[in-house]
Amino acid sequence: MWRRLRSALRRLRGSPAAVLAGGDRLPAPRGAMERAVVRCVPSEPKLSLRFVLPDGSAKHMQRDQAEPLGRALARIATNAAKGHAKAAKKSKKARAEGGPAGEAVAAPAVRLFSSDGEAVAEEVPNAAAWQDGAVLQIGEAQYRVERNPPALTELQLPRSLLAGFPVCPKVSAEFAAPQHCLFRWYREQRPAAGGEAAAGDDGPAWVEAAAAAERVFTPSNALVGLRLKLRCTPGDGAQRYGPPREVESSGPVEAGPGACTFDSRHLYTKKVCGEGSIRAVSYNILADTYAQTEFSRTVLYPYCAPYALELDYRQNLLKKELAGYNADLICLQEVDKSVFVDSLAPALDAFGLEGLFKIKEKQHEGLATFYRRDKFSLLSQHDIVFSEALLSDPLHKELCDKLAKYPLVQEKVLQRSSVLQVSVLQSTTDPSRKICVANTHLYWHPKGGNIRLIQIAVALSHIKHVACDLYPSIPVVFCGDFNSTPSSGTYSFINSGGIAEDHEDWVSNGEEERCNMPLSHPFKLLSACGEPAYTNYVGGFHGCLDYIFIDKNTLEVEQVIPLPSHEEVTTHQALPSVSHPSDHIALICDLKWK
């Protein structure tokens, strides 16, 4: 038997005609075709081919994209012949045991036909040969080639599910896009009174939970105590769909907290702004890396229920809050990298927002800027680390030289990992309209006014380079947690365009760290939300630290969304709380081009 197999393989290797025998036209199919899935990406040297041989064995082949098709077909023929040999060996064993005799081994003809039925020449490179809709024939079996079909690479549900709060799955796909995928939501069947939950052989029974097949699902109070299941079918927008995947929640839906501080604010933001208007949000969302310390639980936020400091709980509130603002621009500070990747980016993507992230390396948290995809496209990014830019960018040489005269201050500035995120966006409806969106989080220490002045000087010089030199005269929106009250030197500098060398903030940390230098910038900036009594409210402090600065020559304020009332903020003593996910309050305003 093995002599016959080796002879057949020699004939296959030595004669392309053996592989391509049977004519140059595709024979009529004899029943339903199997699938042959090809993954071919230009940036990779090999393509992969998956199919199931007639003997039932699954094959996964990796072939060079530049290799001639004939070699790949010969390899398939070799595999098919080996499969036949194994089958024959089993038959021989069965015959020896008194069973029916096996058939003689024969190497099947292997051919590839294009979608129009013509045989593909064996010298054609694999990358060009294996096209969508082609047909692979192995003996009598035929396989429809699916090239780069939509496929899910990741499907996850959040660990914490609250009634009344949107559940946003994390969906990652290849050759597909989440907006083109099909979603079906299911819930566990509730147990009958006094009995066990209905269950099949493989676990609990599931019933459809939503009539509409939406990516985001908000469980009602009726689902409290029940787990959820999501079935997702990947699609590419061209009516091609891949195999579906399912994921079940790790726990049941839990009761929500009731009224939240942002509920009344959502009444002002029910719809997305019209064309020509921009709704901007700036929000320090309290990084988990800071919320989950013993110091935070016992000293900073002792009034906050421990479960309300948990990341999963706060993320539920945060996603509902941000989604309800229907914003065009969202600038966030204190964003944990994992929160951006696993929670916020997938959730806000479902609401039409694209996210950008800039990390502060030492802290493992950073800045995130989101923009509405159907209003803006990203032209360029110009993010910097203040300390690195100060030392290496010629833009800041003059400031760097001045700072060198004050080594103690210079050392502190260079130790900080604070960053600036700068994104240039272009209107999707009017390409002549571009906007520079900046986002930052300045040094936090109460006595660090002099450090913040240096940081903001670097920031404004950099923004000037982007918004005046690279993109002349485009409007600026500068958001962030500036850790500066309206009476500070930093706020005065931004607002007025200059600061004197004898300002008191130059000695904010005492005479030892005095550094005196006049600073100026060319912008006419205005705090779009004014000077609220506070944007940060914790047990030991409340004050206005956060701002949305706009270029008042090119933008004007249409509407400022009112902050929560003092009664709402202090319902649970201070922030964060069971009804508010951060120690800061989001600033929201509607802007329009002048």
Side-chain angles (χ1 to χ4, degrees), residues 199-219:
D201 294 337
D202 299 321
W206 297 92
V207 294
E208 203 152 351
E214 299 288 345
R215 181 175 170 187
V216 178
F217 175 64
T218 302

Side-chain angles (χ1 to χ4, degrees), residues 354-549:
E354 191 75 30
L356 308 167
F357 183 69
K358 176 65 178 176
I359 196 165
K360 285 196 288 187
E361 295 292 349
K362 291 179 185 176
Q363 277 78 23
H364 308 293
E365 52 90 359
L367 307 171
T369 297
F370 292 86
Y371 60 92
R372 186 162 296 281
R373 272 191 301 266
D374 60 7
K375 275 197 173 182
F376 295 105
S377 60
L378 178 67
L379 280 184
S380 56
Q381 291 175 259
H382 307 270
D383 305 344
I384 59 168
V385 179
F386 289 129
S387 57
E388 293 174 5
L390 189 59
L391 286 177
S392 62
D393 193 328
L395 273 177
H396 314 296
K397 186 179 185 310
E398 185 182 347
L399 179 60
C400 191
D401 290 344
K402 288 180 181 177
L403 188 60
K405 299 174 184 175
Y406 308 99
L408 284 178
V409 180
Q410 182 187 45
E411 184 183 4
K412 275 198 171 179
V413 169
L414 297 179
Q415 283 174 347
R416 307 271 67 81
S417 58
S418 308
V419 294
L420 173 72
Q421 191 177 32
V422 181
S423 313
V424 177
L425 306 176
Q426 183 176 45
S427 166
T428 55
T429 55
D430 182 356
S432 68
R433 283 185 166 170
K434 301 176 182 68
I435 191 165
C436 176
V437 182
N439 181 17
T440 197
H441 185 187
L442 301 185
Y443 180 48
W444 63 273
H445 200 283
K447 293 184 177 181
N450 55 350
I451 309 299
R452 286 187 286 276
L453 277 170
I454 300 297
Q455 289 181 335
I456 201 64
V458 175
L460 290 167
S461 290
H462 185 70
I463 294 168
K464 173 183 175 289
H465 173 63
V466 174
C468 299
D469 301 336
L470 300 181
Y471 298 91
S473 303
I474 65 170
V476 171
V477 175
F478 190 6
C479 302
D481 175 356
F482 294 83
N483 272 311
S484 305
T485 62
S487 62
S488 68
T490 295
Y491 181 84
S492 174
F493 174 45
I494 297 169
N495 218 33
S496 68
I499 190 164
E501 60 183 327
D502 59 353
H503 191 282
E504 62 182 4
D505 272 16
W506 289 122
V507 286
S508 59
N509 200 30
E511 285 294 331
E512 275 194 1
E513 291 187 19
R514 170 190 288 276
C515 62
N516 299 97
M517 59 182 88
L519 298 173
S520 64
H521 69 81
F523 297 109
K524 302 293 182 187
L525 297 175
L526 166 78
S527 174
C529 298
E531 300 170 4
Y534 50 78
T535 59
N536 175 231
Y537 199 102
V538 294
F541 171 84
H542 62 269
C544 179
L545 304 177
D546 306 84
Y547 306 92
I548 298 175
F549 291 106

